[in-house]
Amino acid sequence: MSIMLTLAPSWQALLQQEWQQTYFQSLLEFLNQEQSQGQTVYPPSEQILTAFQQCPLDKLKVVILGQDPYHGDNQAHGLAFSVNKDVKIPPSLKNIYKEIQQEFGGNIPSHGHLETWSQQGVLLLNSVLTVRKKMPASHAGKGWEMFTDKVIRQISTHKQGIIFLLWGRYAQQKGKHIDTSKHTVLTAAHPSPFSAKNGFFGCQHFSKTNDILSSQGQTPIDWQIR
């Protein structure tokens, strides 16, 4: 059975033409080959584009950029940094929660499912949208980076006042596609345990984002996960 990818209607006008590009056809061919060879790929095919399905373009306020999906069983479900509810919270997400607690108070959540952020207009976008089981970065360089570069460029061109949170050098390299005269870019260290103390903790990106949204007359994001 071939991999079928379906974009949410609000994103189709901006991105549907990518499906016809040579690089994307090669990407689909690679994904189908992985499947035909019996490889386990995360997230499941119907969840690869979850970020776009849960965050319609007309509601978009914030973009948080990750690298590639979690590669463990039942973790990835198509939202960067997010995991399914019955899975242990990964270290980077735990540090994100610690920063939110520092900024707003409250308790560390009991699960790592970030769906409520998406539904409020936060696009949780990985640069690479698939990975082979237990092989981090195994789908890097197959075409996803070109697609997500296009996503960022299209958002930059067609939207106004979007807040981009770029954590770590990898995400910050994507910043070259953003028109900073129209949008806000906030940068910090990656929330990984290896780097969080080098500038992620104390960055106050979540409260800064809400201050900017309020100044634009928009509803702030409720960052508390319940």
Side-chain angles (χ1 to χ4, degrees):
M1 193 169 112
S2 297
I3 298 277
M4 297 291 291
L5 298 178
T6 306
L7 270 171
S10 67
W11 290 95
Q12 284 178 0
L14 288 189
L15 298 172
Q16 193 73 59
Q17 65 271 25
E18 293 303 295
W19 267 226
Q20 314 309 321
Q21 301 297 319
T22 302
Y23 83 87
F24 204 91
Q25 291 295 313
S26 297
L27 171 61
L28 288 176
E29 190 176 322
F30 166 74
L31 292 174
N32 284 318
Q33 190 176 41
E34 289 278 86
Q35 189 178 66
S36 67
Q37 291 175 352
Q39 300 293 346
T40 300
V41 171
Y42 295 130
S45 58
E46 68 274 9
Q47 296 180 341
I48 291 172
L49 299 178
T50 295
F52 301 95
Q53 292 156 359
Q54 292 194 353
C55 179
L57 182 63
D58 58 335
K59 291 187 177 179
L60 180 64
K61 299 176 180 179
V62 181
V63 177
I64 297 179
L65 193 65
Q67 192 160 347
D68 69 339
Y70 298 117
H71 53 87
D73 289 333
N74 201 35
Q75 289 182 303
H77 63 106
L79 302 179
F81 294 102
S82 180
V83 290
N84 286 304
K85 284 189 176 180
D86 54 351
V87 174
K88 183 179 177 182
I89 299 171
S92 291
L93 181 55
K94 194 168 284 187
N95 285 338
I96 290 170
Y97 282 166
K98 287 178 182 177
E99 176 60 25
I100 291 170
Q101 183 184 44
Q102 193 65 35
E103 294 185 42
F104 298 103
N107 299 317
I108 297 291
S110 61
H111 66 84
H113 200 293
L114 305 180
E115 178 181 47
T116 58
W117 291 3
S118 290
Q119 293 167 347
Q120 295 177 79
V122 181
L123 182 67
L124 295 164
L125 180 67
N126 277 318
S127 175
V128 176
L129 299 188
T130 55
V131 69
R132 188 188 289 186
K133 178 179 179 176
K134 296 191 176 170
M135 291 185 63
S138 50
H139 287 188
K142 302 298 183 183
W144 280 126
E145 295 93 339
M146 294 176 68
F147 175 70
T148 51
D149 282 353
K150 180 73 170 190
V151 172
I152 293 169
R153 287 197 299 269
Q154 291 287 69
I155 291 170
S156 180
T157 300
H158 295 281
K159 300 290 286 185
Q160 187 84 29
I162 303 300
I163 304 161
F164 291 84
L165 307 185
L166 305 183
W167 301 328
R169 191 177 306 140
Y170 184 90
Q172 287 160 21
Q173 289 172 349
K174 293 271 198 184
K176 64 188 176 188
H177 303 298
I178 302 165
D179 183 349
T180 54
S181 70
K182 295 171 59 183
H183 307 285
T184 301
V185 176
L186 300 179
T187 61
H190 194 276
S192 156
F194 301 108
S195 55
K197 291 179 180 176
N198 297 328
F200 179 77
F201 289 138
C203 69
Q204 298 187 315
H205 278 189
F206 303 98
S207 52
K208 285 177 180 176
T209 293
N210 281 355
D211 289 345
I212 295 165
L213 290 173
S214 295
S215 73
Q216 294 174 348
Q218 297 198 73
T219 305
I221 305 298
D222 178 2
W223 296 106
Q224 307 279 12
I225 299 293
R226 295 169 181 85

